[in-house]
Amino acid sequence: MNVLMVASECARLAKTGGLADVVGALPAALAPLGIKCRTVLPAYASLQPLVGKGRQVASFGDLPGGPGRLVQVTAHGIDLLLLDAPQLFDRPGQPYTSPKGNDWPDNHLRFGALAQAAARIGLDGLGGWKPDVVHAHDWQAALVPVYLKQADRPAPKSVLTIHNIAFQGRFGGQVLGELGLRADWFHPDGLEYFGDLGFLKGGLVFADRVTTVSPTYAREILTPKFGMGLEGVLQARGAALSGILNGIDTNAWNPAADPALARGFDARSPGRKAQSRPAVAARLGLDPDHCGPLFCVISRLTHQKGLDALADTIPQLVAGGGQLAVLGTGEPELEAAFVDAAAEYPGKVGTLIGYDEGFAHLMQGGSDAIVIPSRFEPCGLTQLYGLRYGTLPVVARTGGLADTVIDANAAATATGCATGFVFDDVSPAGIAAVLDRVFNAYGNRKQWQAMQRAAMRQPVGWQQSAQAYARLYQALAG
Ligand code: ADP
């Protein structure tokens, strides 16, 4: 079985969030199941050295936004097809934004080109290789199913995965022609989204199957509260929509052999986590002799993540005897709130504004709990890293957080299956209440360590989810 992955991010190559982790991990997880993946990815400026090492396997004279070619190269074990279209992708900045942080004005052309190049491989194959299924990820690749259907000839089946429905790729309807899309499909049951062209909307209508990254999020996005305007489209897809949980790369995130940690540990030795704590404290200016729980946040600092409510709960967190370590970047007001908190509570709150993968590992290694008070969370990865590192997740009951953390209620604690703390009310009062429960549990060392062991033994790798994707592909491809 051959699968063509299409995405705008891939771990270790181009990343702004969890999408990259999934796209980077799935091919290796699917390989033992007999599924061979190739991944189409834009050749961003940072990937030009890789382009130089590859081999041209296709060229297109007339993609949206001009010509482009596909360059095949293997990196980090992933069989890549880099879409080299320098006029679209060889620029400074992030995948979607200029160095000033603004969306590139031609994003519709950039990701229209990505989708069209991928659809052509789906339709025509590549040097004798043909995909049985094309798997598109998020709005940037969501036009792939549209182009496949529009070709009106035998085509592979398509899967579209929603990693976060908040990002929809919405552009003025006038770009339809530039993208070579059918004008007669521009209506509310097709590509139109409240008068505009919706990339994700179109993909949701035309994909053979739609998945998202947790079963709870798959249910949530059918409702107005979480569907962000697309709930009706999703309801209409009925059984074509399902949720498959993300896994994590358990080699990259292995507390027994993580070079970022002062000392490795496993489920039999969670006490060794304490040896990484001084390095966390030193980097963030936290009091190294503090003996209460160390909470951490490793996150985009955004409203979605509920961190405004956490910032307002810092007085209670500190008064209860906790310390807080924050690593993140995002909305300026939130960055300022955590920087100010570090100044107000020296030694108790430490904030690092920035993106630092190595330090994220160290924080997971040295902290006691990770707080994730998201208002919505399609899957979430940091709670999975937390489980693996015995850093008990304190999470809002939403999306993948609800699906992966077992709350320390009386029954779960008695049976030894609790792995964290789940709460409903994302507000300062709700967070203060769950923090009280964390402080109580932390005070009972036996119970805390039992939870750490249960957390660390929970399977969080890709094995189960890869099997679910394999079943989906097989059902589609017959
Ligand atoms: P989202 O995709 O919504 O940002 P996820 O929890 O699914 O949230 O994935 C976030 C990923 O980005 C995780 O791998 C997390 O460790 C990483 N991450 C987020 N912020 C930072 C940061 N400031 N430094 C290092 N890693 C970060």
Side-chain angles (χ1 to χ4, degrees):
M1 158 96 57
N2 292 332
V3 173
L4 186 69
M5 297 278 176
V6 192
S8 57
E9 299 188 25
C10 181
R12 298 178 290 266
L13 297 168
K15 173 168 171 172
T16 72
L19 160 69
D21 294 303
V22 177
V23 174
L26 251 187
L30 289 166
L33 306 175
I35 294 170
K36 185 170 173 354
C37 297
R38 286 182 158 184
T39 304
V40 186
L41 186 75
Y44 301 112
S46 59
L47 300 183
Q48 282 299 322
L50 212 49
V51 169
K53 291 186 193 149
R55 174 173 74 91
Q56 178 173 322
V57 288
S59 70
F60 311 100
D62 55 349
L63 294 174
R69 62 188 191 121
L70 284 173
V71 173
Q72 183 181 5
V73 64
T74 302
H76 307 290
I78 299 174
D79 188 350
L80 291 168
L81 296 168
L82 295 173
L83 176 59
D84 186 31
Q87 75 282 10
L88 296 176
F89 299 117
D90 187 5
R91 350 176 141 163
Q94 293 296 308
Y96 320 122
T97 52
S98 69
K100 286 190 175 154
N102 302 316
D103 283 349
W104 291 112
D106 58 350
N107 271 346
H108 60 291
L109 296 175
R110 301 173 76 226
F111 297 106
L114 176 74
Q116 207 174 93
R120 292 202 204 168
I121 302 170
L123 292 162
D124 301 329
L126 198 59
W129 184 89
K130 264 201 132 170
D132 301 289
V133 173
V134 181
H135 188 164
H137 297 265
D138 267 353
W139 75 263
Q140 295 87 348
L143 288 186
V144 178
V146 182
Y147 287 127
L148 288 175
K149 283 266 157 41
Q150 168 171 307
D152 202 20
R153 57 188 169 104
K157 299 289 186 190
S158 61
V159 178
L160 174 60
T161 294
I162 306 166
H163 295 263
N164 188 338
I165 207 164
F167 304 113
Q168 303 185 349
R170 187 171 168 175
F171 302 94
Q174 75 282 356
V175 304
L176 208 72
E178 286 178 85
L179 294 170
L181 293 166
R182 277 176 61 160
D184 61 329
W185 283 4
F186 191 68
H187 53 73
D189 292 329
L191 303 171
E192 184 188 342
Y193 186 56
F194 298 111
D196 289 335
L197 166 67
F199 272 45
L200 186 62
K201 157 84 190 282
L204 295 179
V205 171
F206 289 102
D208 292 301
R209 291 291 290 270
V210 175
T211 71
T212 187
V213 290
S214 69
T216 293
Y217 195 59
R219 289 191 297 276
E220 287 174 339
I221 54 179
L222 294 171
T223 67
K225 182 173 172 201
F226 294 96
M228 309 231 167
L230 289 169
E231 58 276 9
V233 182
L234 289 164
Q235 287 162 15
R237 295 306 318 265
L241 169 68
S242 61
I244 300 176
L245 266 179
N246 287 338
I248 60 169
D249 180 339
T250 49
N251 291 322
W253 291 89
N254 177 7
D258 188 332
L261 307 187
R263 186 162 179 205
F265 59 91
D266 61 22
R268 285 161 305 181
S269 55
R272 291 188 195 153
K273 280 170 72 66
Q275 297 185 34
S276 290
R277 185 163 170 163
V280 177
R283 180 95 186 260
L284 294 174
L286 292 167
D287 175 2
D289 300 320
H290 184 93
C291 52
L294 172 60
F295 295 88
C296 72
V297 168
I298 304 163
S299 184
R300 291 187 289 120
L301 303 180
T302 65
H303 182 77
Q304 175 202 332
K305 301 288 180 179
L307 294 169
D308 47 317
L310 178 66
D312 289 342
T313 321
I314 288 173
Q316 287 95 319
L317 187 151
V318 171
Q323 277 180 317
L324 178 63
V326 179
L327 169 65
T329 56
E331 293 164 9
E333 326 70 84
L334 274 173
E335 290 186 356
F338 287 107
V339 169
D340 290 352
E344 191 173 345
Y345 300 100
K348 304 290 184 234
V349 177
T351 298
L352 183 67
I353 298 299
Y355 192 94
D356 187 331
E357 194 100 17
F359 192 49
H361 282 248
L362 181 66
M363 284 173 71
Q364 291 277 10
S367 303
D368 298 299
I370 179 158
V371 193
I372 313 169
S374 303
R375 293 192 165 85
F376 66 93
E377 192 62 73
C379 179
L381 294 173
T382 55
Q383 86 279 15
L384 301 177
Y385 304 144
L387 290 169
R388 181 131 168 94
Y389 281 60
T391 307
L392 299 184
V394 182
V395 303
R397 194 186 314 277
T398 186
L401 300 174
D403 289 337
T404 54
V405 180
I406 302 174
D407 180 55
N409 57 40
T413 306
T415 53
C417 64
T419 58
F421 303 85
V422 187
F423 65 99
D424 290 286
D425 175 19
V426 178
S427 71
I431 296 176
V434 75
L435 290 181
D436 274 348
R437 295 173 55 212
V438 179
F439 286 126
N440 277 334
Y442 189 79
N444 179 340
R445 296 310 296 162
K446 241 177 117 181
Q447 181 193 333
W448 189 269
Q449 282 177 359
M451 285 180 68
Q452 285 182 309
R453 280 192 295 273
M456 295 181 75
R457 290 192 173 123
Q458 184 168 322
V460 288
W462 271 103
Q463 212 177 357
Q464 281 179 10
S465 303
Q467 283 167 1
Y469 279 113
R471 282 195 297 274
L472 177 76
Y473 300 149
Q474 272 145 9
L476 269 177

